[in-house]
Amino acid sequence: MDSPFGQFYILYKIHKGIGSDGKWPTRPVSSDVTSLPHALGKWVTEALLPIQSEQKSYFKDSFELKAILDKLAFAPNALPFTADAHSMYTNIKTEPAASQSISATK
């Protein structure tokens, strides 16, 4: 473990070329691969995997999920969808979005 806090560094966007200001554009990178929280998270994942994989709702990856979904019979006009109104879309106000979604599905 190099640092308990991870690393911050900058990558140059060489494919964009030098900007009008004469500088290379950059992309900031914050990496926690060498940090203590990453190692702890990895340990927790390994400890919980046996419990997780025993759950009825468990599937290993998106390929296994697709195989499960392919076996299901849907009505011809059904539109399967997913939503993450809690954290994926931080610019959407969670409460109004959730209540509108619930209203739309009633």
Side-chain angles (χ1 to χ4, degrees), residues 85 92-103:
I92 295 176
K93 304 237 183 289
T94 305
E95 291 302 320
S99 64
Q100 287 180 0
S101 297
I102 292 167
S103 297

Side-chain angles (χ1 to χ4, degrees), residues 7-20:
Q7 300 172 355
F8 178 82
Y9 57 95
I10 293 176
L11 295 176
Y12 288 101
K13 298 181 184 180
I14 58 173
H15 62 284
K16 298 232 176 180
I18 296 175
S20 59

